[in-house]
Amino acid sequence: MKCILKIGLILGSFFFYKTSFSQIKTYQFDQIESLQKLEPKKCVVFIYTDWCKYCEMMKNTTFLNQTIIKELNDNFYFISLNAEENESINFNGQTFEFKPTGPDTGVHELALELGSIDNQLTFPTICFLNKGNEIIYQLNQYAKTEELIVILNQLK
């Protein structure tokens, strides 16, 4: 009987642990126009690559913080954009494509459009768009949780 009770407590605590943490709601670019008509919000676009260590660190720290998650889910549309994405993306009435720069390399036009600062694209970059999908702020560096919370509070 004690063994069954212990197993029940362990399973119960595991279930509570798994359900007590939320995740960032992510959207696709082709959803934004219709979402903006229903409920206008600013957009946060996280531009990353699979090989970028700092991008991975942000995914595993900053974007797992419950305050960040709540702020993004409540006040913004969050889009994650792999800068080396091969698929065409329709956004703001335009179609953006992947542009090869070598045999196995390239960059997506939309990543360049949203993430370039002084004609340079670095990773990670976070691009903030107003309700009209215009760039209002860009951050082209690893953002610690505290730093991103301040930025989100200023921009909401």
Side-chain angles (χ1 to χ4, degrees), residues 119-151:
N119 294 318
Q120 292 278 59
L121 179 61
T122 58
F123 306 106
T125 292
I126 304 174
C127 181
F128 300 85
L129 306 175
N130 65 15
K131 296 170 186 175
N133 297 324
E134 301 164 323
I135 297 171
I136 53 174
Y137 185 68
Q138 295 164 300
L139 180 67
N140 64 341
Q141 64 187 33
Y142 173 85
K144 293 180 181 177
T145 301
E146 302 78 22
E147 179 182 14
L148 189 55
I149 288 170
V150 169
I151 293 168

Side-chain angles (χ1 to χ4, degrees), residues 6 16-17 46 56 60 73-74 77 79-80 90 97 106 108-109 118 127 135 145 151 154:
K6 285 181 185 179
F16 177 77
Y17 174 78
F46 176 58
E56 194 64 30
N60 292 322
N73 288 346
D74 290 350
Y77 294 119
I79 303 169
S80 202
N90 295 314
E97 306 280 341
H108 203 280
E109 289 175 322
D118 296 328
C127 181
I135 297 171
T145 301
I151 293 168
Q154 289 175 345

